[in-house]
Amino acid sequence: MKFSKILRPAAVMLASALLTATSVRALTVNDLPTRRVNGKVVYYYDVQPGDNLYGIAEKLGISVNDIRQNNPSVADGVKPRMRLFFPAETESKDPAGDYVDSGAVTHVVKKGESIYGIARQYGMKMEDLMALNSSAAGGIRPGMRLRLKEQEVGEDESVPVEKEEDSVVRMEKADSIVASYAPDDLNVAASEEVYADSVAADTVLVSAEDREPLQLAVILPFLLEEENMGRQTQLYTEFYKGFLLAADTLNLPGRRPVNIRVYDSSANNDTVRAIMTRPEMADVDLIIAPDNQTQLNSISAIAPQDALIVNVFAVRDTSYMTRPGMIQTNIPHDRMYERAIEGFIDSYPGYTPVFLSRKGGRQDKEEFTTALKQRLNADGRYFREVEFDGYMPDADLEDLDPNVTPLVFIPVSGNRDEFSRFIHALKTVKERAADASAVQLFGYPEWATFRGEQFDQICALETTIYSRYCPLEGSDESRRLHEDFTRAFGNEILDKQMPVLGVLGYDTGIMVIEGLRSMEARDGDITREFSGIQSGIRLREVPGGGMFNDALFLIKYMPGGSIEKTLK
């Protein structure tokens, strides 16, 4: 399949339908027409076909609770031509009914408050309150201090004002839906090109005016009720930020628009089930699912039958075998071993495989090495096994002559400590070889996280590893993505783990958005192949079920630090 580069627009707006999303809005409550009802002036809004409570709230820049409090008739939802009313009088009352101090200078946001409600409380227009508080452009949260009037001469200039956080993505919990924010003019991508050749050449460009937006739901355990952000929350937030970058990158003129709703699963199956019964989920086109098996099963059971469910995190899930529309983006465990063994056989013809194990040491890759030995036996290939104590002495490998037969070593563990126990003996064998390539090492995904001396060691041994994800070292696409991520969110991508979640979010966003758009040109069939910065996808369909990724990276580390990758 051929792929083509696409250029970024100079300024891009993220099409988001989040509960309190704050991209530039064409309409606010104060822009609505007014009429007099029972002697009072009120704003009104006529419900349009396709409207729902959440879309109206986002359109008007208010909360769903604001709509419900002023319009009890929406308890069962909204219908076309229903008229909604909102107060227009300017009396300054607080929610308890008491008059507020009209001379107040600041207001401290309480849980559950909205910009619209606070403006009403002080008899202000919402746009005036926003103009005084630029930091509220990304939404408000409990504890934030809002300025209610211009600072006058002589006022205390040390009045605390909420500072912008390091990230432009901020989240508040409201009835399970996560409010996520981007700048008014997102334009997060300054680079000239999309980072991956990800757009199918046969994709039909459909005018945004001709088609309804694609509806995407992201359901992840952000755990927003926790007082402190834990490691898990940080990583899933990184994934979401990368996903936003992808949506921004692909929000091009003429392309079918995308609405993204993001929900906090709270790592709780009851919460997930409640999310899935929300009215907007009836029209969802694609769901990014959490990593919990029970929650994934609930989503699969409740989701519309024509909705795609993308499983990025539950590596060992097999529901794609029976559930149409389920997409497993990770190559299954057993198939990964099959692919890795095929790659080994193809990479080392004429080499003598030498399996290494330490007495009493870890054997966490025994399943793989056993399967590889069985394949070698079936092919009639000779191999050696070497067991050593403590740290392997050079003498244990003296009888192996790389000048007679090339050697490839395969340890029975991918553990970092176990690696340190044999690597120096392998280096000695390599030094004896007239041809340095006659001594090589075959290893495991964990080694992709090696840095410093151990990285230099796997490069010196011309090591090949198999991995679901490709390391980012030396990639121009990765460098550009890191730069744009930092520019957009004010912090660098967390890249000490594999996969890197921010990059995974970006790759996933590109894959699913372009995949959904491509279905229009492929009779409802999603694009099967995708080459990302960190991910490689080659989808294979299961009869009567969904699809799974059948691609695996073989990554070869070369002397000097360069990396060669092959997608098997």
Side-chain angles (χ1 to χ4, degrees), residues 341-353 372 375-376 379 381-382 402 404-408 410 435 437-440 442 464 554 556 568:
I341 289 171
E342 290 170 6
F344 180 93
I345 298 299
D346 292 342
S347 299
Y348 299 106
Y351 280 70
T352 296
L372 177 55
R375 172 63 184 273
L376 293 170
D379 291 351
R381 285 188 60 177
Y382 171 79
V404 175
T405 305
L407 305 170
V408 55
I410 312 100
D435 179 1
S437 294
V439 177
Q440 298 191 27
F442 190 86
T464 296
L554 285 184
K556 187 168 185 177
K568 296 293 291 183

PDB file of all heavy atoms in Angstrom, residues 341-353 372 375-376 379 381-382 402 404-408 410 435 437-440 442 464 554 556 568:
ATOM      1  N   ILE A 341      10.481 -16.104  16.325  1.00  0.00           N
ATOM      2  CA  ILE A 341      11.258 -17.294  15.928  1.00  0.00           C
ATOM      3  C   ILE A 341      11.476 -17.299  14.419  1.00  0.00           C
ATOM      4  O   ILE A 341      12.572 -17.618  13.934  1.00  0.00           O
ATOM      5  CB  ILE A 341      10.539 -18.572  16.404  1.00  0.00           C
ATOM      6  CG1 ILE A 341      10.638 -18.668  17.933  1.00  0.00           C
ATOM      7  CG2 ILE A 341      11.148 -19.809  15.758  1.00  0.00           C
ATOM      8  CD1 ILE A 341       9.793 -19.771  18.540  1.00  0.00           C
ATOM      9  N   GLU A 342      10.432 -16.924  13.652  1.00  0.00           N
ATOM     10  CA  GLU A 342      10.606 -16.808  12.204  1.00  0.00           C
ATOM     11  C   GLU A 342      11.704 -15.793  11.886  1.00  0.00           C
ATOM     12  O   GLU A 342      12.543 -16.016  10.999  1.00  0.00           O
ATOM     13  CB  GLU A 342       9.295 -16.368  11.556  1.00  0.00           C
ATOM     14  CG  GLU A 342       8.202 -17.420  11.585  1.00  0.00           C
ATOM     15  CD  GLU A 342       6.850 -16.853  11.158  1.00  0.00           C
ATOM     16  OE1 GLU A 342       6.810 -15.672  10.742  1.00  0.00           O
ATOM     17  OE2 GLU A 342       5.851 -17.586  11.238  1.00  0.00           O
ATOM     18  N   GLY A 343      11.693 -14.675  12.598  1.00  0.00           N
ATOM     19  CA  GLY A 343      12.713 -13.654  12.391  1.00  0.00           C
ATOM     20  C   GLY A 343      14.096 -14.151  12.734  1.00  0.00           C
ATOM     21  O   GLY A 343      15.080 -13.832  12.041  1.00  0.00           O
ATOM     22  N   PHE A 344      14.201 -14.937  13.801  1.00  0.00           N
ATOM     23  CA  PHE A 344      15.497 -15.498  14.200  1.00  0.00           C
ATOM     24  C   PHE A 344      16.030 -16.426  13.110  1.00  0.00           C
ATOM     25  O   PHE A 344      17.203 -16.325  12.707  1.00  0.00           O
ATOM     26  CB  PHE A 344      15.348 -16.263  15.513  1.00  0.00           C
ATOM     27  CG  PHE A 344      16.628 -16.878  15.999  1.00  0.00           C
ATOM     28  CD1 PHE A 344      17.452 -16.200  16.883  1.00  0.00           C
ATOM     29  CD2 PHE A 344      17.023 -18.146  15.559  1.00  0.00           C
ATOM     30  CE1 PHE A 344      18.648 -16.767  17.330  1.00  0.00           C
ATOM     31  CE2 PHE A 344      18.209 -18.714  15.998  1.00  0.00           C
ATOM     32  CZ  PHE A 344      19.018 -18.022  16.874  1.00  0.00           C
ATOM     33  N   ILE A 345      15.174 -17.331  12.632  1.00  0.00           N
ATOM     34  CA  ILE A 345      15.600 -18.293  11.613  1.00  0.00           C
ATOM     35  C   ILE A 345      16.069 -17.574  10.359  1.00  0.00           C
ATOM     36  O   ILE A 345      17.101 -17.925   9.756  1.00  0.00           O
ATOM     37  CB  ILE A 345      14.453 -19.267  11.286  1.00  0.00           C
ATOM     38  CG1 ILE A 345      14.054 -20.085  12.525  1.00  0.00           C
ATOM     39  CG2 ILE A 345      14.838 -20.187  10.136  1.00  0.00           C
ATOM     40  CD1 ILE A 345      15.138 -20.954  13.093  1.00  0.00           C
ATOM     41  N   ASP A 346      15.329 -16.530   9.969  1.00  0.00           N
ATOM     42  CA  ASP A 346      15.689 -15.782   8.755  1.00  0.00           C
ATOM     43  C   ASP A 346      16.973 -14.968   8.941  1.00  0.00           C
ATOM     44  O   ASP A 346      17.704 -14.742   7.972  1.00  0.00           O
ATOM     45  CB  ASP A 346      14.553 -14.833   8.359  1.00  0.00           C
ATOM     46  CG  ASP A 346      13.311 -15.571   7.893  1.00  0.00           C
ATOM     47  OD1 ASP A 346      13.419 -16.762   7.544  1.00  0.00           O
ATOM     48  OD2 ASP A 346      12.226 -14.957   7.904  1.00  0.00           O
ATOM     49  N   SER A 347      17.225 -14.509  10.185  1.00  0.00           N
ATOM     50  CA  SER A 347      18.350 -13.603  10.428  1.00  0.00           C
ATOM     51  C   SER A 347      19.682 -14.310  10.602  1.00  0.00           C
ATOM     52  O   SER A 347      20.733 -13.695  10.389  1.00  0.00           O
ATOM     53  CB  SER A 347      18.071 -12.755  11.678  1.00  0.00           C
ATOM     54  OG  SER A 347      16.912 -11.962  11.509  1.00  0.00           O
ATOM     55  N   TYR A 348      19.668 -15.601  10.993  1.00  0.00           N
ATOM     56  CA  TYR A 348      20.925 -16.256  11.356  1.00  0.00           C
ATOM     57  C   TYR A 348      21.150 -17.581  10.625  1.00  0.00           C
ATOM     58  O   TYR A 348      21.439 -18.606  11.245  1.00  0.00           O
ATOM     59  CB  TYR A 348      20.966 -16.479  12.867  1.00  0.00           C
ATOM     60  CG  TYR A 348      20.910 -15.194  13.653  1.00  0.00           C
ATOM     61  CD1 TYR A 348      19.737 -14.820  14.325  1.00  0.00           C
ATOM     62  CD2 TYR A 348      22.001 -14.342  13.712  1.00  0.00           C
ATOM     63  CE1 TYR A 348      19.673 -13.625  15.039  1.00  0.00           C
ATOM     64  CE2 TYR A 348      21.936 -13.153  14.423  1.00  0.00           C
ATOM     65  CZ  TYR A 348      20.769 -12.803  15.073  1.00  0.00           C
ATOM     66  OH  TYR A 348      20.715 -11.622  15.759  1.00  0.00           O
ATOM     67  N   PRO A 349      21.054 -17.587   9.313  1.00  0.00           N
ATOM     68  CA  PRO A 349      21.410 -18.824   8.598  1.00  0.00           C
ATOM     69  C   PRO A 349      22.915 -19.072   8.720  1.00  0.00           C
ATOM     70  O   PRO A 349      23.715 -18.145   8.583  1.00  0.00           O
ATOM     71  CB  PRO A 349      21.003 -18.520   7.149  1.00  0.00           C
ATOM     72  CG  PRO A 349      21.084 -17.030   7.044  1.00  0.00           C
ATOM     73  CD  PRO A 349      20.676 -16.505   8.395  1.00  0.00           C
ATOM     74  N   GLY A 350      23.283 -20.299   9.016  1.00  0.00           N
ATOM     75  CA  GLY A 350      24.707 -20.622   9.122  1.00  0.00           C
ATOM     76  C   GLY A 350      25.312 -20.328  10.478  1.00  0.00           C
ATOM     77  O   GLY A 350      26.476 -20.677  10.729  1.00  0.00           O
ATOM     78  N   TYR A 351      24.583 -19.679  11.382  1.00  0.00           N
ATOM     79  CA  TYR A 351      25.082 -19.404  12.739  1.00  0.00           C
ATOM     80  C   TYR A 351      24.752 -20.574  13.662  1.00  0.00           C
ATOM     81  O   TYR A 351      23.728 -21.249  13.501  1.00  0.00           O
ATOM     82  CB  TYR A 351      24.433 -18.140  13.311  1.00  0.00           C
ATOM     83  CG  TYR A 351      25.042 -16.846  12.830  1.00  0.00           C
ATOM     84  CD1 TYR A 351      24.877 -16.419  11.513  1.00  0.00           C
ATOM     85  CD2 TYR A 351      25.775 -16.046  13.704  1.00  0.00           C
ATOM     86  CE1 TYR A 351      25.423 -15.230  11.076  1.00  0.00           C
ATOM     87  CE2 TYR A 351      26.322 -14.834  13.265  1.00  0.00           C
ATOM     88  CZ  TYR A 351      26.143 -14.444  11.952  1.00  0.00           C
ATOM     89  OH  TYR A 351      26.698 -13.255  11.523  1.00  0.00           O
ATOM     90  N   THR A 352      25.625 -20.783  14.654  1.00  0.00           N
ATOM     91  CA  THR A 352      25.342 -21.751  15.712  1.00  0.00           C
ATOM     92  C   THR A 352      24.678 -21.039  16.872  1.00  0.00           C
ATOM     93  O   THR A 352      25.294 -20.154  17.487  1.00  0.00           O
ATOM     94  CB  THR A 352      26.625 -22.431  16.209  1.00  0.00           C
ATOM     95  OG1 THR A 352      27.205 -23.193  15.152  1.00  0.00           O
ATOM     96  CG2 THR A 352      26.330 -23.346  17.400  1.00  0.00           C
ATOM     97  N   PRO A 353      23.421 -21.349  17.180  1.00  0.00           N
ATOM     98  CA  PRO A 353      22.765 -20.741  18.343  1.00  0.00           C
ATOM     99  C   PRO A 353      23.358 -21.289  19.643  1.00  0.00           C
ATOM    100  O   PRO A 353      23.584 -22.508  19.765  1.00  0.00           O
ATOM    101  CB  PRO A 353      21.295 -21.162  18.199  1.00  0.00           C
ATOM    102  CG  PRO A 353      21.152 -21.581  16.758  1.00  0.00           C
ATOM    103  CD  PRO A 353      22.487 -22.162  16.391  1.00  0.00           C
ATOM    104  N   LEU A 372      11.919 -21.946  20.660  1.00  0.00           N
ATOM    105  CA  LEU A 372      12.965 -21.776  19.652  1.00  0.00           C
ATOM    106  C   LEU A 372      13.773 -23.059  19.485  1.00  0.00           C
ATOM    107  O   LEU A 372      14.090 -23.475  18.355  1.00  0.00           O
ATOM    108  CB  LEU A 372      13.875 -20.615  20.040  1.00  0.00           C
ATOM    109  CG  LEU A 372      15.071 -20.336  19.122  1.00  0.00           C
ATOM    110  CD1 LEU A 372      14.623 -20.137  17.668  1.00  0.00           C
ATOM    111  CD2 LEU A 372      15.856 -19.115  19.610  1.00  0.00           C
ATOM    112  N   ARG A 375      11.857 -25.484  17.394  1.00  0.00           N
ATOM    113  CA  ARG A 375      11.906 -25.148  15.972  1.00  0.00           C
ATOM    114  C   ARG A 375      13.256 -25.544  15.376  1.00  0.00           C
ATOM    115  O   ARG A 375      13.325 -26.093  14.270  1.00  0.00           O
ATOM    116  CB  ARG A 375      11.643 -23.654  15.785  1.00  0.00           C
ATOM    117  CG  ARG A 375      11.863 -23.149  14.378  1.00  0.00           C
ATOM    118  CD  ARG A 375      10.905 -23.801  13.358  1.00  0.00           C
ATOM    119  NE  ARG A 375      11.219 -23.369  12.020  1.00  0.00           N
ATOM    120  CZ  ARG A 375      10.728 -22.257  11.452  1.00  0.00           C
ATOM    121  NH1 ARG A 375       9.896 -21.471  12.130  1.00  0.00           N
ATOM    122  NH2 ARG A 375      11.046 -21.955  10.217  1.00  0.00           N
ATOM    123  N   LEU A 376      14.340 -25.279  16.099  1.00  0.00           N
ATOM    124  CA  LEU A 376      15.670 -25.652  15.613  1.00  0.00           C
ATOM    125  C   LEU A 376      15.785 -27.153  15.444  1.00  0.00           C
ATOM    126  O   LEU A 376      16.347 -27.647  14.446  1.00  0.00           O
ATOM    127  CB  LEU A 376      16.743 -25.133  16.572  1.00  0.00           C
ATOM    128  CG  LEU A 376      16.898 -23.609  16.651  1.00  0.00           C
ATOM    129  CD1 LEU A 376      17.820 -23.230  17.812  1.00  0.00           C
ATOM    130  CD2 LEU A 376      17.432 -23.038  15.342  1.00  0.00           C
ATOM    131  N   ASP A 379      13.997 -28.233  12.388  1.00  0.00           N
ATOM    132  CA  ASP A 379      14.732 -27.896  11.168  1.00  0.00           C
ATOM    133  C   ASP A 379      16.047 -28.658  11.051  1.00  0.00           C
ATOM    134  O   ASP A 379      16.784 -28.487  10.061  1.00  0.00           O
ATOM    135  CB  ASP A 379      15.033 -26.392  11.135  1.00  0.00           C
ATOM    136  CG  ASP A 379      13.780 -25.556  10.931  1.00  0.00           C
ATOM    137  OD1 ASP A 379      12.707 -26.130  10.646  1.00  0.00           O
ATOM    138  OD2 ASP A 379      13.864 -24.312  11.080  1.00  0.00           O
ATOM    139  N   ARG A 381      18.696 -28.243  12.989  1.00  0.00           N
ATOM    140  CA  ARG A 381      19.831 -27.352  13.218  1.00  0.00           C
ATOM    141  C   ARG A 381      20.481 -27.628  14.565  1.00  0.00           C
ATOM    142  O   ARG A 381      19.801 -27.806  15.586  1.00  0.00           O
ATOM    143  CB  ARG A 381      19.384 -25.887  13.139  1.00  0.00           C
ATOM    144  CG  ARG A 381      19.136 -25.410  11.717  1.00  0.00           C
ATOM    145  CD  ARG A 381      18.888 -23.926  11.658  1.00  0.00           C
ATOM    146  NE  ARG A 381      20.006 -23.138  12.177  1.00  0.00           N
ATOM    147  CZ  ARG A 381      20.042 -21.816  12.165  1.00  0.00           C
ATOM    148  NH1 ARG A 381      19.017 -21.137  11.642  1.00  0.00           N
ATOM    149  NH2 ARG A 381      21.091 -21.167  12.649  1.00  0.00           N
ATOM    150  N   TYR A 382      21.786 -27.648  14.565  1.00  0.00           N
ATOM    151  CA  TYR A 382      22.581 -27.868  15.776  1.00  0.00           C
ATOM    152  C   TYR A 382      22.596 -26.600  16.630  1.00  0.00           C
ATOM    153  O   TYR A 382      22.663 -25.477  16.125  1.00  0.00           O
ATOM    154  CB  TYR A 382      24.002 -28.260  15.380  1.00  0.00           C
ATOM    155  CG  TYR A 382      24.985 -28.299  16.522  1.00  0.00           C
ATOM    156  CD1 TYR A 382      25.029 -29.379  17.407  1.00  0.00           C
ATOM    157  CD2 TYR A 382      25.901 -27.255  16.711  1.00  0.00           C
ATOM    158  CE1 TYR A 382      25.945 -29.414  18.448  1.00  0.00           C
ATOM    159  CE2 TYR A 382      26.820 -27.280  17.747  1.00  0.00           C
ATOM    160  CZ  TYR A 382      26.822 -28.354  18.617  1.00  0.00           C
ATOM    161  OH  TYR A 382      27.731 -28.385  19.647  1.00  0.00           O
ATOM    162  N   PRO A 402      34.461 -18.503  16.879  1.00  0.00           N
ATOM    163  CA  PRO A 402      33.657 -17.781  15.890  1.00  0.00           C
ATOM    164  C   PRO A 402      34.316 -17.728  14.518  1.00  0.00           C
ATOM    165  O   PRO A 402      33.655 -17.408  13.528  1.00  0.00           O
ATOM    166  CB  PRO A 402      33.532 -16.381  16.491  1.00  0.00           C
ATOM    167  CG  PRO A 402      34.723 -16.230  17.376  1.00  0.00           C
ATOM    168  CD  PRO A 402      34.987 -17.595  17.923  1.00  0.00           C
ATOM    169  N   VAL A 404      35.470 -20.320  13.063  1.00  0.00           N
ATOM    170  CA  VAL A 404      35.080 -21.569  12.397  1.00  0.00           C
ATOM    171  C   VAL A 404      33.596 -21.536  12.043  1.00  0.00           C
ATOM    172  O   VAL A 404      33.199 -21.829  10.912  1.00  0.00           O
ATOM    173  CB  VAL A 404      35.391 -22.787  13.285  1.00  0.00           C
ATOM    174  CG1 VAL A 404      34.876 -24.081  12.636  1.00  0.00           C
ATOM    175  CG2 VAL A 404      36.879 -22.889  13.565  1.00  0.00           C
ATOM    176  N   THR A 405      32.766 -21.158  13.036  1.00  0.00           N
ATOM    177  CA  THR A 405      31.313 -21.067  12.836  1.00  0.00           C
ATOM    178  C   THR A 405      30.803 -19.810  13.505  1.00  0.00           C
ATOM    179  O   THR A 405      31.072 -19.590  14.701  1.00  0.00           O
ATOM    180  CB  THR A 405      30.594 -22.295  13.441  1.00  0.00           C
ATOM    181  OG1 THR A 405      31.149 -23.484  12.886  1.00  0.00           O
ATOM    182  CG2 THR A 405      29.099 -22.232  13.131  1.00  0.00           C
ATOM    183  N   PRO A 406      30.081 -18.952  12.801  1.00  0.00           N
ATOM    184  CA  PRO A 406      29.502 -17.767  13.449  1.00  0.00           C
ATOM    185  C   PRO A 406      28.582 -18.173  14.600  1.00  0.00           C
ATOM    186  O   PRO A 406      27.934 -19.231  14.552  1.00  0.00           O
ATOM    187  CB  PRO A 406      28.724 -17.086  12.316  1.00  0.00           C
ATOM    188  CG  PRO A 406      29.307 -17.628  11.063  1.00  0.00           C
ATOM    189  CD  PRO A 406      29.748 -19.021  11.380  1.00  0.00           C
ATOM    190  N   LEU A 407      28.523 -17.321  15.619  1.00  0.00           N
ATOM    191  CA  LEU A 407      27.780 -17.640  16.836  1.00  0.00           C
ATOM    192  C   LEU A 407      26.716 -16.577  17.109  1.00  0.00           C
ATOM    193  O   LEU A 407      26.972 -15.375  16.951  1.00  0.00           O
ATOM    194  CB  LEU A 407      28.733 -17.705  18.037  1.00  0.00           C
ATOM    195  CG  LEU A 407      29.931 -18.654  17.925  1.00  0.00           C
ATOM    196  CD1 LEU A 407      30.892 -18.413  19.094  1.00  0.00           C
ATOM    197  CD2 LEU A 407      29.457 -20.111  17.912  1.00  0.00           C
ATOM    198  N   VAL A 408      25.550 -17.012  17.542  1.00  0.00           N
ATOM    199  CA  VAL A 408      24.530 -16.100  18.037  1.00  0.00           C
ATOM    200  C   VAL A 408      24.086 -16.602  19.401  1.00  0.00           C
ATOM    201  O   VAL A 408      23.713 -17.762  19.563  1.00  0.00           O
ATOM    202  CB  VAL A 408      23.330 -15.967  17.072  1.00  0.00           C
ATOM    203  CG1 VAL A 408      22.698 -17.317  16.725  1.00  0.00           C
ATOM    204  CG2 VAL A 408      22.283 -15.016  17.660  1.00  0.00           C
ATOM    205  N   ILE A 410      21.744 -16.591  22.861  1.00  0.00           N
ATOM    206  CA  ILE A 410      20.359 -16.350  23.271  1.00  0.00           C
ATOM    207  C   ILE A 410      20.244 -16.642  24.770  1.00  0.00           C
ATOM    208  O   ILE A 410      20.306 -17.809  25.192  1.00  0.00           O
ATOM    209  CB  ILE A 410      19.358 -17.249  22.515  1.00  0.00           C
ATOM    210  CG1 ILE A 410      19.623 -17.241  21.018  1.00  0.00           C
ATOM    211  CG2 ILE A 410      17.925 -16.807  22.825  1.00  0.00           C
ATOM    212  CD1 ILE A 410      20.396 -18.443  20.543  1.00  0.00           C
ATOM    213  N   ASP A 435      36.020 -11.634  11.927  1.00  0.00           N
ATOM    214  CA  ASP A 435      34.887 -10.871  11.420  1.00  0.00           C
ATOM    215  C   ASP A 435      33.981 -10.558  12.606  1.00  0.00           C
ATOM    216  O   ASP A 435      33.389 -11.466  13.198  1.00  0.00           O
ATOM    217  CB  ASP A 435      34.130 -11.679  10.366  1.00  0.00           C
ATOM    218  CG  ASP A 435      32.907 -10.951   9.816  1.00  0.00           C
ATOM    219  OD1 ASP A 435      32.651  -9.800  10.253  1.00  0.00           O
ATOM    220  OD2 ASP A 435      32.197 -11.534   8.973  1.00  0.00           O
ATOM    221  N   SER A 437      31.098  -9.453  12.873  1.00  0.00           N
ATOM    222  CA  SER A 437      29.703  -9.872  12.722  1.00  0.00           C
ATOM    223  C   SER A 437      29.499 -11.358  12.981  1.00  0.00           C
ATOM    224  O   SER A 437      28.361 -11.844  12.979  1.00  0.00           O
ATOM    225  CB  SER A 437      29.199  -9.528  11.310  1.00  0.00           C
ATOM    226  OG  SER A 437      29.153  -8.136  11.129  1.00  0.00           O
ATOM    227  N   ALA A 438      30.589 -12.079  13.203  1.00  0.00           N
ATOM    228  CA  ALA A 438      30.481 -13.515  13.461  1.00  0.00           C
ATOM    229  C   ALA A 438      30.029 -13.809  14.878  1.00  0.00           C
ATOM    230  O   ALA A 438      29.780 -14.971  15.219  1.00  0.00           O
ATOM    231  CB  ALA A 438      31.823 -14.199  13.189  1.00  0.00           C
ATOM    232  N   VAL A 439      29.936 -12.797  15.733  1.00  0.00           N
ATOM    233  CA  VAL A 439      29.431 -12.976  17.104  1.00  0.00           C
ATOM    234  C   VAL A 439      28.325 -11.958  17.324  1.00  0.00           C
ATOM    235  O   VAL A 439      28.561 -10.745  17.297  1.00  0.00           O
ATOM    236  CB  VAL A 439      30.546 -12.791  18.155  1.00  0.00           C
ATOM    237  CG1 VAL A 439      29.962 -12.915  19.563  1.00  0.00           C
ATOM    238  CG2 VAL A 439      31.665 -13.802  17.942  1.00  0.00           C
ATOM    239  N   GLN A 440      27.105 -12.444  17.545  1.00  0.00           N
ATOM    240  CA  GLN A 440      25.961 -11.563  17.745  1.00  0.00           C
ATOM    241  C   GLN A 440      25.109 -12.078  18.897  1.00  0.00           C
ATOM    242  O   GLN A 440      25.305 -13.194  19.408  1.00  0.00           O
ATOM    243  CB  GLN A 440      25.127 -11.444  16.457  1.00  0.00           C
ATOM    244  CG  GLN A 440      25.921 -10.821  15.306  1.00  0.00           C
ATOM    245  CD  GLN A 440      25.067 -10.457  14.116  1.00  0.00           C
ATOM    246  OE1 GLN A 440      23.883 -10.183  14.239  1.00  0.00           O
ATOM    247  NE2 GLN A 440      25.680 -10.456  12.931  1.00  0.00           N
ATOM    248  N   PHE A 442      20.978 -12.229  20.511  1.00  0.00           N
ATOM    249  CA  PHE A 442      19.537 -12.108  20.267  1.00  0.00           C
ATOM    250  C   PHE A 442      18.837 -11.952  21.612  1.00  0.00           C
ATOM    251  O   PHE A 442      19.096 -12.728  22.538  1.00  0.00           O
ATOM    252  CB  PHE A 442      19.013 -13.345  19.538  1.00  0.00           C
ATOM    253  CG  PHE A 442      17.598 -13.196  19.032  1.00  0.00           C
ATOM    254  CD1 PHE A 442      17.350 -12.621  17.804  1.00  0.00           C
ATOM    255  CD2 PHE A 442      16.525 -13.630  19.795  1.00  0.00           C
ATOM    256  CE1 PHE A 442      16.047 -12.482  17.327  1.00  0.00           C
ATOM    257  CE2 PHE A 442      15.225 -13.498  19.335  1.00  0.00           C
ATOM    258  CZ  PHE A 442      14.983 -12.920  18.088  1.00  0.00           C
ATOM    259  N   THR A 464      20.069  -8.123  18.164  1.00  0.00           N
ATOM    260  CA  THR A 464      18.730  -8.034  17.603  1.00  0.00           C
ATOM    261  C   THR A 464      17.725  -8.395  18.688  1.00  0.00           C
ATOM    262  O   THR A 464      17.895  -9.397  19.393  1.00  0.00           O
ATOM    263  CB  THR A 464      18.551  -8.982  16.398  1.00  0.00           C
ATOM    264  OG1 THR A 464      19.425  -8.587  15.352  1.00  0.00           O
ATOM    265  CG2 THR A 464      17.110  -8.958  15.891  1.00  0.00           C
ATOM    266  N   LEU A 554      11.518  -6.449  14.470  1.00  0.00           N
ATOM    267  CA  LEU A 554      12.855  -6.953  14.767  1.00  0.00           C
ATOM    268  C   LEU A 554      13.769  -5.741  14.695  1.00  0.00           C
ATOM    269  O   LEU A 554      13.822  -5.047  13.668  1.00  0.00           O
ATOM    270  CB  LEU A 554      13.300  -8.013  13.770  1.00  0.00           C
ATOM    271  CG  LEU A 554      12.668  -9.397  13.900  1.00  0.00           C
ATOM    272  CD1 LEU A 554      13.298 -10.347  12.895  1.00  0.00           C
ATOM    273  CD2 LEU A 554      12.816  -9.951  15.311  1.00  0.00           C
ATOM    274  N   LYS A 556      17.592  -4.178  15.220  1.00  0.00           N
ATOM    275  CA  LYS A 556      19.012  -4.509  15.314  1.00  0.00           C
ATOM    276  C   LYS A 556      19.794  -3.277  15.711  1.00  0.00           C
ATOM    277  O   LYS A 556      19.711  -2.229  15.064  1.00  0.00           O
ATOM    278  CB  LYS A 556      19.539  -5.057  13.988  1.00  0.00           C
ATOM    279  CG  LYS A 556      20.979  -5.566  14.084  1.00  0.00           C
ATOM    280  CD  LYS A 556      21.376  -6.371  12.855  1.00  0.00           C
ATOM    281  CE  LYS A 556      22.769  -6.982  13.028  1.00  0.00           C
ATOM    282  NZ  LYS A 556      23.161  -7.824  11.879  1.00  0.00           N
ATOM    283  N   LYS A 568       8.130  -7.463  10.771  1.00  0.00           N
ATOM    284  CA  LYS A 568       7.917  -8.827  10.268  1.00  0.00           C
ATOM    285  C   LYS A 568       6.425  -9.116  10.126  1.00  0.00           C
ATOM    286  O   LYS A 568       5.616  -8.704  10.952  1.00  0.00           O
ATOM    287  CB  LYS A 568       8.541  -9.835  11.230  1.00  0.00           C
ATOM    288  CG  LYS A 568      10.047  -9.719  11.352  1.00  0.00           C
ATOM    289  CD  LYS A 568      10.728 -10.099  10.050  1.00  0.00           C
ATOM    290  CE  LYS A 568      10.603 -11.578   9.744  1.00  0.00           C
ATOM    291  NZ  LYS A 568      11.327 -11.983   8.515  1.00  0.00           N
TER     292      LYS A 568
END
